Amino acid sequence: MTVTVAPPTRLANPRLEVVGGHQLHGEIRVSGAKNSALVLMAACLLTQDTLRLRNVPPLTDITAMGEILAALGVRVTRSRDIVDLSGDHISQSAPPYELVNSLRASFFCIGPLLARMGMAQVPLPGGCQIGSRPVVEHVKGLKALGAQVSIEHGVVTAVVPGRSRRLTGGHIHLDCPSVGATETLMMAAVLADGETIIDNAALEPEVIDLANLLIAMGARIRGAGSPTIVIDGVSELHGADYAVIPDRIEAGTFLLAGAITRSILRVTPVIPDHLGAVLTKLEDVGCQLSHDGEGLTISARDIRGVDLRTMPFPGFPTDLQAPFMSLLATASGTSMVVETIFENRLQHVAELQRMGADIRMQGNTAYIEGVVRLSGAPVQGTDLRASAAMVLAGLAADGVTTVRGLEFLDRGYANMEGKLNAAGAQIRRLSSEASNADA
Ligand code: UD1
């Protein structure tokens, strides 16, 4: 596997040093969607042909997924933003624990492995910094498709009984519109015998992206993007050449970078429908937005407080709650932010408070009184999006903010500091060695 970008997090004690107070200008380019690319990569297990994915972001999570697929027997080659995946000789139905343990998205392998091999053994993904992340719905759905599923010693073993080793279409009603469960079950059902209906399916754009890829591979799917997805199983899928959608969360983060620095900034490419609730909130706080067919230009001056509540798509995405809170910490007036999706996703509040933010917490709700200026401080990114929120806060703060927790940031943002610096930010990535040399 050719990896073009060396993961920068291998450096000892890596951190970003953000010098605040610089306005942004010009344009920032958005990479392909991490959350789409990870699941699309797993779909290669459904065919013997080569799957070519374009617009794949250079992220540590993508490297990890490539390693997991390679351990299953997939030939993975990666050059720039193109990844070729050839699953003609899948030799394993059980990805190794050491690899899977580092990446929750590896659980995506269970659906296609089961569909293709009639058997899959995948370690149960644990909780993570933001919450418990159950897979009850995934398991329930696989059982509805005829799999026998057992969980022992932290490993999920799923087997299709009978000689055909082929799953059977079924009717699944998800108790909650889980993105991961919807995607897992779509990949399991495409090769099943007969029709599968998934009710209360997730509506996220990444679900539609997966459906579009599977359709390009020969699957028969309708209704993706609506609460009811209907899949007519086919006997085999073929390869495809497919471009991943732009990352709506990265795009939202950069629009917020423009807003928090009170700048005029173009972010491209952006599909406005993917960010509807976020764009509405940006307008509510006083930003002007204009879409030119490909990119979106944000113009920000005075920012006022607003209330928001995270919801499944098309509601306000939990993944942009922390970055949006950084902006609200600098707004005039009061804001209220309610996190409804993950139980432990307000840890950035304590870090923002270290930067002088005036935030009071009650349960899953944060009450924010905007301050005129945040003040630079050493802070810790406690999860992927919280790390991005710290970088944004640093862009607007007085003085220098040192952001640790880059092992999270680099999972979801490709060269974040490089992109922001090209637009006028002043951010340096340091390791212990570098800082000694600098001293
Ligand atoms: C995906 C995204 C993640 C995003 C999240 C919510 C990927 C790789 N990750 O995660 O960035 O923050 O959607 O938009 O695409 N739930 C259950 N039972 C289940 C499954 C989920 O109760 O069996 C609950 C979860 O606890 C959570 C909610 O459903 O409260 C949403 O989870 P889910 O949509 O499954 O998130 P992921 O697919 O893990």
Side-chain angles (χ1 to χ4, degrees), residues 50-53 74-79 82-86:
T50 298
L51 174 61
R52 167 163 284 194
L53 295 176
V74 176
R75 277 181 291 118
V76 184
T77 47
R78 187 167 159 195
S79 165
I82 297 178
V83 177
D84 286 326
L85 302 143
S86 304

Side-chain angles (χ1 to χ4, degrees), residues 338-358:
V338 188
E339 171 58 50
T340 73
I341 308 291
F342 292 112
E343 67 270 19
N344 198 21
R345 210 171 199 183
L346 287 170
Q347 293 182 67
H348 46 282
V349 167
E351 301 302 307
L352 287 172
Q353 285 167 337
R354 290 167 55 77
M355 299 179 70
D358 182 354

Side-chain angles (χ1 to χ4, degrees), residues 34-35 38 104-105 108 130 132-138 176-181 183 204 248 318-319 340-343 345 385:
K34 171 187 81 99
N35 285 351
L38 287 170
R104 288 187 45 78
F108 284 136
I130 60 174
S132 58
R133 319 291 296 262
V135 289
V136 180
E137 298 301 312
H138 313 52
C176 62
S178 159
V179 180
E183 293 168 337
E204 268 70 0
R248 64 192 167 105
T318 174
D319 287 350
T340 73
I341 308 291
F342 292 112
E343 67 270 19
R345 210 171 199 183
R385 306 303 170 185

